[in-house]
Amino acid sequence: MAGTDIASTRADGSVRSIARAVDVLELFEVEHPTRTLRELVALTDLPKTTVVRLLSTLESLGLIADRGESTYGLGAGFLRWVALSQRMWEIGDQARQVMSRLVDTCGETVNVYIRQDLNRVSIAQVEGTTTVRSVVQVGVPYELARGAAAKILLTGASDRVLRDLVDTRPDLQPESLGREIAGIREAGYAVTHGERELGASAVAAPIVASDGRVIAALSASGPTSRFTADRVGRYVDAVTAAAAEISAVGLGSVEVFL
């Protein structure tokens, strides 16, 4: 029993170390490609010695690069994973052509979202043609409870996923969410205004596999000021038609993972 307790403690410690390392890596982003040691300590709220140890380990793995003067950035070791991830998650040419035509039709930014656990992630994006447009970061997780694309993905989620989502969001009412999802499933599209971000609106429709499963959501998003009643009607027609076309041609090799 004592040996089991020790093994469990070591396992918990290992998981905690991995989580802390990921927390450090997630602090590097487009707006902050480099971070100082002082920033990393402040943002992680970890002891300086712990952060230094994590950085040293990550540097030895090629995942962090010491740029001098206590400044760090992502290491070249990520390049092999970036290339592999891009090949695995790249959607097919036909699907991307449909996305580009949808942008030409409505002028708004178009994304393909998938569900990962209790988040939604854009795996493909074609930016809108207007100066003021809605853009998200591809590959970055966004909440599954808000936004048109999220609601579409929830129409294909299991009861367990819905329960887990409600458990993590006390502001969500199970009955209300269930009715909303059922209505969206029946309508075949979702429209939201300012749910994920104030002043942003979106129209989304499901992309389905050959067996009828909802595997992704196609969305067109932009400033709420452009999503007037007459435009929303046209956007709904365009997005649902494009989603049906992508469902017919498939998302490409990425569909194996969905």
Side-chain angles (χ1 to χ4, degrees):
M1 182 65 70
T4 301
D5 291 341
I6 293 174
S8 178
T9 300
R10 288 175 176 171
D12 291 343
S14 298
V15 171
R16 184 165 59 252
S17 295
I18 293 172
R20 285 174 171 176
V22 172
D23 287 342
V24 169
L25 292 173
E26 286 186 334
L27 293 174
F28 297 92
E29 51 193 0
V30 174
E31 292 81 6
H32 300 94
T34 62
R35 292 282 195 182
T36 65
L37 177 59
R38 183 189 296 272
E39 286 180 307
L40 294 172
V41 170
L43 292 170
T44 59
D45 199 27
L46 292 172
K48 181 178 179 180
T49 54
T50 299
V51 175
V52 170
R53 186 169 64 252
L54 288 170
L55 290 171
S56 177
T57 300
L58 291 169
E59 185 178 3
S60 70
L61 297 172
L63 302 181
I64 283 289
D66 185 346
R67 303 176 68 87
E69 298 183 351
S70 296
T71 300
Y72 300 85
L74 293 184
F78 271 109
L79 291 174
R80 63 189 177 97
W81 286 340
V82 168
L84 175 61
S85 180
Q86 286 178 333
R87 287 198 298 271
M88 289 177 61
W89 291 100
E90 177 65 27
I91 69 170
D93 291 340
Q94 288 180 294
R96 189 168 287 278
Q97 288 170 9
V98 175
M99 293 175 66
S100 296
R101 290 201 300 271
L102 181 57
V103 171
D104 292 339
T105 298
C106 63
E108 308 295 352
T109 296
V110 172
N111 281 275
V112 170
Y113 286 93
I114 63 169
R115 182 181 69 83
Q116 289 193 325
D117 194 21
L118 298 182
N119 297 299
R120 59 178 167 120
V121 177
S122 171
I123 59 171
Q125 178 175 251
V126 179
E127 292 191 21
T129 56
T130 58
T131 302
V132 180
R133 55 187 181 271
S134 175
V135 177
V136 299
Q137 293 187 53
V138 175
V140 172
Y142 293 91
E143 61 178 333
L144 193 58
R146 307 294 181 192
K151 300 297 174 58
I152 290 296
L153 293 173
L154 286 176
T155 64
S158 66
D159 291 339
R160 180 189 61 78
V161 170
L162 294 176
R163 287 195 301 269
D164 290 347
L165 182 62
V166 170
D167 288 343
T168 61
R169 293 289 302 269
D171 58 310
L172 294 177
Q173 299 298 320
E175 296 80 6
S176 177
L177 179 63
R179 287 194 299 270
E180 182 181 16
I181 297 306
I184 290 172
R185 185 184 294 115
E186 182 177 357
Y189 65 88
V191 179
T192 57
H193 302 287
E195 276 200 2
R196 184 184 66 82
E197 183 178 354
L198 186 64
S201 295
V203 172
I207 296 172
V208 299
S210 57
D211 59 5
R213 289 179 301 113
V214 175
I215 57 174
L218 179 70
S219 78
S221 59
T224 299
S225 59
R226 288 205 297 268
F227 278 62
T228 57
D230 60 327
R231 282 188 177 180
V232 165
R234 295 199 300 272
Y235 291 173
V236 166
D237 291 342
V239 172
T240 53
E245 188 175 353
I246 293 177
S247 298
V249 301
L251 280 170
S253 58
V254 68
E255 202 161 314
V256 174
F257 304 102
L258 303 177

